[in-house]
Amino acid sequence: MIHGVQVTPLRIIADDRGAVLHMLKHSDPSFAGFGEIYFSRILVGQRKAWRRHVHATSQLAVPNGCVRFVLCDQREGSSSGDTIQEVEIGEMNYQLLTIPPNVWFAMQCIGSTDALIANCASSVHDPTTVERCEVESQTIPYVWRN
Amino acid sequence: MIHGVQVTPLRIIADDRGAVLHMLKHSDPSFAGFGEIYFSRILVGQRKAWRRHVHATSQLAVPNGCVRFVLCDQREGSSSGDTIQEVEIGEMNYQLLTIPPNVWFAMQCIGSTDALIANCASSVHDPTTVERCEVESQTIPYVWRN
């Protein structure tokens, strides 16, 4: 497991009219500040990869569909250096994924419906503090699968 | 229009793999603090009504489906007292709805698919600071429609 990555079960409150799904509170132990909340859809069969945020902690939940996150630790001096970790979360396995700064991550829609990812990031998005890498990269030794 | 209610257009960034949808930044003029982010689903044809938050400002977006919000101002001394306001937002009309404290609100799914509402509230949910009222209430003179 990658140092600093957390996977925290989240509560779903059932309701005949439509459930309520928790995500993140100011008082949660994993809360790292509020910069911005935004959504990213991933259509069936698609991937979005790779990126890492220099400063921001990403807090991710998947209220619709199901997503495989792939994380890769290339932080200098990290105790989990060169580790690759997969985390599959979604509406049927509803958990919060916390990714610390400088950990590479990718997302793949693995369900039969489009997925919606919510990211409650600790800083406002700033393109100068995001690094990107192609899906098929020499830098990150990951073999994609369906 | 109800005093303090804001409807702000939000950006959708198209992407063949799935769009990115903005919601709320720390630096936005309407930002009123971060307490909690959670989701509420509303199934086709359903309503959730009524509630008002004593302290919290609600910041609402609908990344999936389409929702009619009905707002009712019964704040003492309000310049828009006894006004009812409807706001329809959703993935096809993607906007942020800001509801100040003490304004009653209700939500109705008006699309042909289930809707997902995100609420980025300025305080952590506290049942003792939420007032509720039945869908069909003498207090709020609103005639429901489809």
Side-chain angles (χ1 to χ4, degrees), chain A residues 125-146:
Chain A
H125 177 74
D126 171 359
T128 66
T129 64
V130 183
E131 289 177 89
R132 291 173 194 280
C133 199
E134 292 298 307
V135 173
E136 300 289 354
S137 160
Q138 299 280 321
T139 313
I140 301 169
Y142 181 69
V143 181
W144 291 93
R145 57 197 169 90
N146 290 328

Side-chain angles (χ1 to χ4, degrees), chain B:
Chain B
M1 305 297 266
I2 293 177
H3 185 73
V5 171
Q6 293 174 71
V7 183
T8 313
L10 288 173
R11 207 169 149 212
I12 296 184
I13 300 151
D15 186 313
D16 287 344
R17 302 164 301 173
V20 169
L21 298 86
H22 284 185
M23 182 174 170
L24 185 65
K25 293 181 170 68
H26 187 270
S27 52
D28 286 343
S30 69
F31 182 68
F34 177 78
E36 178 172 5
I37 169 84
Y38 64 92
F39 305 101
S40 181
R41 288 205 188 107
I42 310 195
L43 308 184
V44 172
Q46 294 291 328
R47 303 161 190 163
K48 292 184 174 180
W50 295 83
R51 79 186 65 186
R52 63 178 174 187
H53 297 273
V54 177
H55 301 305
T57 297
S58 301
Q59 303 274 13
L60 301 156
V62 180
N64 281 337
C66 188
V67 173
R68 179 184 297 135
F69 291 90
V70 187
L71 285 58
C72 176
D73 185 3
Q74 295 185 343
R75 292 171 296 181
E76 223 168 284
S78 171
S79 59
S80 54
D82 295 323
T83 304
I84 284 186
Q85 181 178 350
E86 293 180 345
V87 178
E88 295 180 7
I89 57 174
E91 57 183 299
M92 302 303 284
N93 176 32
Y94 188 62
Q95 305 199 70
L96 182 75
L97 171 60
T98 305
I99 305 178
N102 290 308
V103 171
W104 288 107
F105 67 97
M107 333 184 242
Q108 180 176 17
C109 179
I110 55 171
S112 57
T113 57
D114 300 341
L116 186 79
I117 298 162
N119 186 357
C120 192
S122 65
S123 337
V124 171
H125 178 74
D126 171 1
T128 67
T129 64
V130 183
E131 290 177 88
R132 292 173 193 280
C133 199
E134 292 298 307
V135 172
E136 300 289 353
S137 160
Q138 299 280 322
T139 314
I140 300 169
Y142 181 70
V143 181
W144 291 92
R145 58 196 169 88
N146 291 327

